[in-house]
């Protein structure tokens, strides 16, 4: 069984789950999103966001493949590129942090370590780009079919709550918190993740 991570681009955007490739929950502010959905143009808005973010900032997501079958993905970007980030009661995201927007593992691929693989991919990318921290708006209820990462999952992999909220806490992971991050991100993540199974926690997103 072969597994690999690749950057999300316009060429492989169609490999995201159907509901995700047309979803612009994070990419547009709530009003603009409603207009795009009413006009049936969310797929074009998604492509436009991916294109502009890649050109202006660089890699903003990873897709995990198992034997060339898309099995999961993660997306992230600076808050400046994520209009929805200002719509939460625990906003704004810190200026020195990149926002972890969403992550998803297809149910048939859970339990195989893909969640850890995706987290490692994000950490390696951002560490190389001298990013100080990653923040996320956690979903304290972890409802299925949502576009947010469960708060319990974020806490389990080392995020700390910086602004508590009964539903949408904002959490932060300092990339310099472990001395070995820059020397060996994988070793640091093994220590961070321990024995948890991120795939199961990510499943509802």
């Amino acid at each position: 069984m072969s597994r690999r991570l690749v950057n999300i681009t316009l060429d492989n955007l169609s490999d995201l789950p159907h509901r995700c490739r047309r979803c612009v929950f994070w990419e547009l502010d709530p009003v603009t999103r409603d207009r795009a959905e009413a006009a049936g143009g969310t797929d074009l808005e998604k492509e436009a966001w991916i294109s502009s973010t890649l050109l202006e900032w660089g890699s903003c997501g990873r897709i995990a493949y198992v034997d060339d079958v898309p099995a999961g993905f993660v997306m992230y970007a600076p808050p400046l590129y994520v209009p929805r980030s200002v719509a939460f009661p625990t906003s704004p995201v810190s200026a020195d942090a990149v926002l972890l927007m969403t992550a998803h593992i297809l149910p048939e691929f859970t339990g195989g370590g893909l969640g850890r693989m995706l987290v490692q991919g994000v950490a390696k990318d951002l560490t190389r780009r001298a990013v100080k921290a990653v923040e996320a708006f956690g979903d304290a209820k972890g409802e299925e079919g949502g576009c947010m990462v469960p708060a319990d999952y974020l806490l389990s992999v080392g995020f700390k709550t910086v602004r508590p909220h009964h539903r949408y806490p904002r959490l932060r992971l300092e990339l310099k918190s472990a001395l070995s991050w820059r020397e060996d991100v994988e070793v640091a993540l093994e220590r961070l993740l321990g024995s948890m199974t991120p795939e199961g926690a990510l499943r509802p997103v």
Side-chain angles (χ1 to χ4, degrees):
M1 179 182 295
S2 65
R3 304 192 306 174
R4 60 190 175 93
L5 284 183
V6 303
N7 292 339
I8 291 179
T9 67
L10 293 179
D11 294 331
N12 59 24
L13 186 57
S14 61
D15 285 344
L16 298 186
H18 181 72
R19 67 178 177 87
C20 299
R21 76 185 71 153
R22 301 174 63 89
C23 176
V24 287
F25 175 85
W26 290 105
E27 294 84 354
L28 301 177
D29 64 81
V31 174
T32 306
R33 177 199 179 197
D34 289 343
R35 290 174 180 168
E37 289 180 343
T42 55
D43 53 340
L44 296 178
E45 294 286 355
K46 186 85 166 189
E47 290 182 9
W49 186 89
I50 294 287
S51 178
S52 62
T53 304
L54 287 173
L55 287 172
E56 296 174 13
W57 183 65
S59 174
C60 56
R62 294 283 191 274
I63 300 178
Y65 292 88
V66 175
D67 291 336
D68 293 326
V69 177
F73 77 98
V74 62
M75 293 187 69
Y76 51 95
L80 179 65
Y81 292 85
V82 189
R84 170 68 70 160
S85 68
V86 300
F88 289 89
T90 49
S91 297
V93 174
S94 302
D96 64 348
V98 163
L99 177 65
L100 176 64
M101 298 158 58
T102 190
H104 181 71
I105 302 292
L106 296 181
E108 59 267 35
F109 292 102
T110 59
L114 289 181
R116 178 173 299 184
M117 183 178 174
L118 285 168
V119 171
Q120 288 175 338
V122 174
K124 288 179 181 179
D125 179 36
L126 296 182
T127 300
R128 283 195 299 264
R129 294 156 78 172
V131 173
K132 293 182 61 176
V134 180
E135 292 190 1
F137 295 104
D139 182 358
K141 292 187 177 181
E143 293 184 348
E144 291 196 25
C147 302
M148 302 178 64
V149 182
D152 287 346
Y153 167 77
L154 295 167
L155 291 169
S156 297
V157 296
F159 281 75
K160 305 295 183 184
T161 302
V162 289
R163 283 203 64 185
H165 189 264
H166 68 279
R167 180 64 192 275
Y168 300 120
R170 178 160 55 88
L171 303 99
R172 179 179 174 97
L173 177 64
E174 299 283 349
L175 296 188
K176 64 180 181 180
S177 60
L179 294 178
S180 60
W181 270 79
R182 291 189 180 276
E183 291 76 18
D184 191 343
V185 174
E186 289 191 10
V187 172
L189 276 166
E190 287 295 326
R191 186 163 62 249
L192 264 176
L193 298 175
S195 60
M196 77 155 299
T197 307
E199 298 78 19
L202 279 175
R203 190 180 307 172
V205 179

